[in-house]
Amino acid sequence: MQVKLSDMKLGETGTIRSVKTENLHDMRILEMGFVQGEKITVTGFAPLGDPMEVRILDYSVSLRKSDSENILIQTGQQA
Amino acid sequence: MNITVALTGNPNAGKTSLFNMLSGSRERVANYPGITVEKKIGHAQWNDNSLSFYDLPGTYSLSAVSAEEMVTSDFLTGRTGVSADVILFVTDSLALSRNLYLLTQVAESGKAVIAVLTKTREARANGKQIDLQKLSGLSGISFIDSAGRPPKVREQIFTAIVNAAKQEKKQSSAPDFYGKEDAAAIAKAQDTLQATGTTMHPAEIFMLLSGEPQTKKEILELWHNHAGLLYPEKGEEVLSALEKIAAQKASQNGYAESVRRRYAWIDSIVEQSVTLDKPNKKTLTSKMDKILMSRILGPVIFFGVFTVLFEAIYTWSTPLMGIIESGIALLQQGASALLSRLPMFHDLVVDGIIGGAGSVLVFLPQIIILFAFIAVLEESGYLSRASYLTDKFVSWSGLSGKSFVPMLSGFACSIPGIMAARTIPNRTARIATILTVPLVSCASRLPVYMLFISAFIQPVYGNAAAALTFLLMNSLGALLTLPVAWIIGKKFLQPSPTPFLLEMPEYRIPTLSSVYDRMAEAGWDFLKRAGTIIFIFSIIIWALSYFPRAQNATAAYQLEQSYLGQAGKFVQPLFSPMNFDWKTTIGIVAAFPARELLVSTLGILYESEATADEFSSLSGKLAAEKSHSPASAMALIVFFALSAQCMATLVTVRQETGSLRYAFALFFYMTALAWLLSWLTYVTLSSAGLG
């Protein structure tokens, strides 16, 4: 199943399918490891539900909904 | 042999502690034009070689997204004139893969590269074993572990640097991540650039070649300023070369594909050289985050931590400030006795120089205490968590959770608050924070509030009204910070493409030496400022109140007819809508260097007794003479709550932003806002019959 990263639940794991690459801001997110094929796990949400914390490669990073909406994740068995 | 070594790596990789370990003596080099990154250079002797270490700002990629990040690519490509012989790449073993990404780019620069692994002890504690030999063999770059006794590690690193510097230039060890066609296009673009006398890193060129139209546009915008700064003579030429490259047709493989290939290469190396003892072992950090970041306990701990921080800068600094104040008073007494025969010189030294610079020096304890806290919070990893917890509350304004500490510090004093904005990587957010922190009601506003509340509010309307006014004035500025930041960011600043991606580093215990370094650095920066610009301003302001001399006049008359007094009378019409008399407007002008000077100026003008009881005698006098109506008194308090009456703040803004423009902008917008709200207060209260 393919979902937006922003729609994933706490503890869910998936594989990155695609990331927006329109501008410098997007490119930096990509370069920080949000590339197609990498595994990603949701590890937390801030008190108001945004930003979210994820584990990618071997580090933890938090990102805002405005960015996590642009990252598509493959979840479930096919991953 | 002289060897130039560039230290580079990701943010939080432990670059600064390695720099401190390697360099015996250090120096700080002036700011780069237009930005506030300071270059630090360390020196060391090894056998017959003198090594110079350049500490470059941490970055995630050599394709810069901000002027600050450009510094690192400038230096590694040799655009700044100084060229590194060896690059020392600092690699955080806790986030190995992401660190190796930058290394794949650094390796392409064609320079000798040595990698140093940091935090290997913590990695082992997390069950992560890194095989140095395999890592070195597979990547083609030699890795050195930084754990171990410092002299031994130093020896190992120095020897590797000297050997690498002596070797013949070798071909880049990194594989080709671009593909044949694109690599050729990059090489061709490099020729075009070199013809104009500049050069770019292959990754920079490829982003410009292959990016989407918006990406290309943003890179060109970044270079628009930068080319002029790097090449004052031929900036236009360089820019047109860049535009030519950007205009080329899209490449075979996009930039995203090159990023994917780099990570695929990294994954294969990491897989072979890193073993995890227990792959699903809970690390100490994840256990701590279970508590520190939990939905209920998290915010409670957060408030606890920042209450202590606020108490520290607000209350603990008081005795230290008292010591400085009495030291200054002693100095004034001493100078006064020495110079009693030279009246003008006496007043210049005692009131102008010692008094002026002294009134700024008292902020030193707050700055040092705040930076000790920031160092501990940042190094331990908690500051990132605090930003994460607060982000949503401020993100609508264009700021991020990183603005929280500067804003909070602003309640004690704007100067440490503005300096604390150094921790914000996004330039737009940083400038917007610097320009709004001074709105927050700082400690120096309190004497003004108290004088007018005790003269006009408390006697007539009672204690409850006085307390309410006090509370209202203390929060007014803070309530305005986010809306003002929103307007500044939206209307006046270029949006910065640096995303608000916030790394959550593993928790660690801060080292004493790094906390000390942060305190010393902030303290020195401030002292230098107090000793130069603020010192000169103090003398000018003093002279304006001292000249022209009136014969046999009272202190009140001397001030009234001085240049400062004349200026106060001159601006009086501007304040007549709020019914401020000339004494008040002289006070406003005289309070330009520091707002609490309003109290002492009014003290002189109303000839109140200069006794220990000066304060209550002055407020009594103001009340007796009915100098202000309640509406006018409230209007004056509001004006002082919001105006930029602080020379040291303006100087700090100039220093921290690297531009005089922002200091002027701050002064004018705050003064205009203060006037407007002051007038609204007056009009509202007068129509309610308090005029």
Side-chain angles (χ1 to χ4, degrees):
Chain A
M1 206 175 64
Q2 194 165 304
V3 296
K4 286 180 185 169
L5 175 57
S6 51
D7 291 336
M8 283 173 75
K9 309 246 165 343
L10 186 66
E12 248 187 308
T13 295
T15 311
I16 297 178
R17 273 294 290 272
S18 71
V19 183
K20 194 163 82 88
T21 55
E22 276 165 22
N23 50 34
L24 273 186
H25 171 110
D26 299 339
M27 296 309 250
R28 175 49 54 86
I29 293 174
L30 187 75
E31 294 192 272
M32 286 182 77
F34 289 81
V35 290
Q36 195 193 332
E38 293 293 347
K39 254 181 96 174
I40 188 165
T41 306
V42 179
T43 52
F45 288 94
L48 294 182
D50 182 32
M52 76 198 299
E53 189 193 313
V54 299
R55 186 102 188 143
I56 182 165
L57 295 168
D58 47 4
Y59 77 106
S60 296
V61 65
S62 81
L63 69 169
R64 288 180 177 169
K65 198 169 180 158
S66 52
D67 287 319
S68 58
E69 274 172 351
N70 296 320
I71 301 173
L72 286 180
I73 309 291
Q74 182 79 45
T75 57
Q77 296 305 311
Q78 306 96 306
Chain B
M1 183 166 166
N2 290 323
I3 305 172
T4 306
V5 185
L7 251 86
T8 182
N10 282 181
N12 307 315
K15 217 159 41 65
T16 307
S17 25
L18 189 71
F19 174 81
N20 290 345
M21 186 181 93
L22 293 178
S23 47
S25 63
R26 286 164 230 165
E27 56 178 311
R28 298 170 72 201
V29 178
N31 283 355
Y32 281 81
I35 55 166
T36 45
V37 178
E38 205 156 7
K39 213 166 32 175
K40 279 187 213 151
I41 306 176
H43 299 282
Q45 283 296 129
W46 180 248
N47 297 334
D48 292 330
N49 305 293
S50 7
L51 311 180
S52 313
F53 295 96
Y54 284 73
D55 188 12
L56 302 180
T59 181
Y60 294 110
S61 163
L62 291 183
S63 304
V65 296
S66 68
E68 273 81 0
E69 287 187 355
M70 204 73 116
V71 172
T72 302
S73 355
D74 279 349
F75 198 86
L76 292 188
T77 53
R79 287 195 291 254
T80 29
V82 195
S83 176
D85 301 306
V86 178
I87 299 170
L88 196 62
F89 188 82
V90 187
T91 323
D92 179 355
S93 26
L94 294 172
L96 187 62
S97 300
R98 200 203 58 229
N99 277 253
L100 292 179
Y101 177 81
L102 180 62
L103 182 59
T104 64
Q105 293 186 335
V106 167
E108 281 174 4
S109 64
K111 301 234 156 76
V113 181
I114 295 161
V116 178
L117 266 184
T118 58
K119 307 182 195 170
T120 44
R121 275 199 211 105
E122 282 114 312
R124 265 197 298 279
N126 287 354
K128 189 181 194 177
Q129 301 281 354
I130 301 173
D131 185 331
L132 278 185
Q133 259 174 343
K134 264 194 184 155
L135 189 59
S136 305
L138 289 167
S139 64
I141 290 162
S142 48
F143 276 82
I144 298 170
D145 188 349
S146 72
R149 286 194 315 113
K152 230 184 125 211
V153 176
R154 249 195 308 264
E155 187 185 321
Q156 237 184 324
I157 294 176
F158 286 165
T159 312
I161 288 173
V162 171
N163 287 342
K166 280 183 179 152
Q167 261 170 24
E168 288 297 305
K169 272 241 158 79
K170 52 172 191 170
Q171 277 298 303
S172 144
S173 51
D176 170 27
F177 298 111
Y178 303 109
K180 225 182 189 166
E181 228 170 273
D182 287 334
I186 293 169
K188 209 174 131 232
Q190 187 71 277
D191 290 342
T192 314
L193 289 168
Q194 269 161 9
T196 68
T198 187
T199 174
M200 277 169 97
H201 186 274
E204 286 182 289
I205 296 178
F206 193 44
M207 180 101 83
L208 187 60
L209 269 174
S210 67
E212 301 274 330
Q214 180 61 25
T215 311
K216 294 185 176 193
K217 201 178 132 223
E218 286 173 4
I219 297 173
L220 290 175
E221 272 166 14
L222 212 55
W223 272 90
H224 196 81
N225 262 321
H226 200 66
L229 293 174
L230 277 181
Y231 311 106
E233 312 270 284
K234 49 188 174 110
E236 292 296 318
E237 219 179 308
V238 169
L239 264 183
S240 69
L242 288 171
E243 274 158 17
K244 224 169 89 190
I245 295 169
Q248 282 181 32
K249 265 257 155 273
S251 55
Q252 183 189 22
N253 302 304
Y255 193 88
E257 174 59 19
S258 77
V259 177
R260 207 192 55 76
R261 286 184 189 180
R262 285 180 204 271
Y263 273 110
W265 184 77
I266 291 164
D267 287 346
S268 78
I269 289 179
V270 168
E271 205 172 299
Q272 292 175 71
S273 48
V274 177
T275 44
L276 295 170
D277 289 348
K278 299 169 201 141
N280 291 317
K281 189 184 163 200
K282 285 257 177 282
T283 61
L284 184 62
T285 294
S286 64
K287 282 180 202 157
M288 284 174 70
D289 271 342
K290 273 258 163 357
I291 302 164
L292 293 174
M293 306 279 273
S294 69
R295 288 220 157 173
I296 297 156
L297 222 51
V300 173
I301 293 167
F302 173 90
F303 279 112
V305 167
F306 285 99
T307 308
V308 172
L309 180 140
F310 187 66
E311 268 300 297
I313 43 178
Y314 212 83
T315 315
W316 302 358
S317 62
T318 315
L320 291 168
M321 291 167 88
I323 291 171
I324 292 180
E325 271 168 352
S326 32
I328 289 162
L330 268 177
L331 207 62
Q332 279 176 320
Q333 277 172 23
S336 178
L338 275 176
L339 300 169
S340 56
R341 284 152 170 237
L342 306 158
M344 189 187 116
F345 201 58
H346 168 274
D347 289 2
L348 168 68
V349 172
V350 174
D351 300 334
I353 297 178
I354 306 178
S359 67
V360 176
L361 270 186
V362 294
F363 297 124
L364 188 63
Q366 289 184 333
I367 290 169
I368 291 180
I369 293 173
L370 174 67
F371 271 83
F373 269 90
I374 289 181
V376 170
L377 290 175
E378 196 169 28
E379 284 223 9
S380 65
Y382 189 72
L383 194 62
S384 298
R385 270 86 180 171
S387 307
Y388 169 76
L389 291 172
T390 47
D391 189 71
K392 188 66 189 172
F393 297 93
V394 297
S395 59
W396 62 269
S397 68
L399 302 184
S400 76
K402 293 225 160 199
S403 298
F404 180 76
V405 172
M407 296 283 183
L408 183 75
S409 316
F411 277 104
C413 174
S414 305
I415 296 155
I418 292 164
M419 289 169 75
R422 288 175 183 184
T423 54
I424 304 171
N426 183 298
R427 182 167 172 84
T428 314
R430 177 157 179 258
I431 300 283
T433 305
I434 288 175
L435 293 182
T436 47
V437 161
L439 284 172
V440 176
S441 186
C442 67
S444 342
R445 278 140 157 132
L446 302 183
V448 178
Y449 300 161
M450 286 187 306
L451 176 66
F452 281 86
I453 289 173
S454 64
F456 299 103
I457 310 294
Q458 197 261 342
V460 188
Y461 305 96
N463 286 333
L468 185 70
T469 311
F470 194 69
L471 186 73
L472 213 64
M473 288 307 118
N474 266 307
S475 28
L476 177 64
L479 291 174
L480 287 170
T481 50
L482 293 181
V484 171
W486 183 80
I487 294 169
I488 290 175
K490 268 259 151 36
K491 300 276 173 219
F492 300 103
L493 296 176
Q494 289 268 345
S496 161
T498 317
F500 289 99
L501 245 52
L502 192 62
E503 199 185 337
M504 302 290 209
E506 309 257 329
Y507 289 111
R508 48 192 334 236
I509 296 168
T511 59
L512 258 179
S513 70
S514 60
V515 174
Y516 171 80
D517 279 351
R518 286 296 285 279
M519 286 165 60
E521 191 179 54
W524 270 121
D525 280 355
F526 180 70
L527 282 183
K528 266 191 286 181
R529 221 172 289 150
T532 51
I533 308 176
I534 294 174
F535 176 78
I536 293 165
F537 265 107
S538 302
I539 294 175
I540 293 173
I541 301 277
W542 169 83
L544 289 177
S545 69
Y546 193 80
F547 296 109
R549 299 301 295 163
Q551 292 301 316
N552 304 320
T554 58
Y557 183 68
Q558 165 59 32
L559 182 57
E560 186 190 337
Q561 59 84 52
S562 72
Y563 293 119
L564 194 75
Q566 291 171 31
K569 285 185 169 175
F570 179 74
V571 299
Q572 196 271 331
L574 278 175
F575 293 94
S576 54
M578 284 86 92
N579 222 356
F580 296 168
D581 61 6
W582 60 267
K583 286 183 180 174
T584 309
T585 57
I586 289 180
I588 290 174
V589 172
F592 167 71
R595 34 179 74 82
E596 63 270 33
L597 289 179
L598 175 74
V599 177
S600 54
T601 307
L602 291 180
I604 295 171
L605 289 175
Y606 281 90
E607 296 178 324
S608 82
E609 304 287 307
T611 58
D613 223 13
E614 186 183 350
F615 197 83
S616 60
S617 108
L618 176 59
S619 80
K621 223 162 190 160
L622 290 178
E625 293 197 12
K626 293 208 165 59
S627 64
H628 294 74
S629 67
S632 177
M634 278 302 288
L636 186 64
I637 304 179
V638 169
F639 185 82
F640 269 80
L642 299 174
S643 66
Q645 309 268 80
C646 179
M647 170 178 75
T649 296
L650 296 171
V651 172
T652 307
V653 168
R654 151 75 186 83
Q655 220 80 359
E656 296 287 309
T657 57
S659 160
L660 199 55
R661 218 156 45 107
Y662 292 115
F664 276 113
L666 180 74
F667 181 76
F668 285 112
Y669 106 72
M670 281 182 70
T671 307
L673 186 68
W675 191 95
L676 188 71
L677 286 185
S678 172
W679 178 72
L680 279 175
T681 306
Y682 183 77
V683 170
T684 313
L685 292 181
S686 317
S687 63
L690 301 170

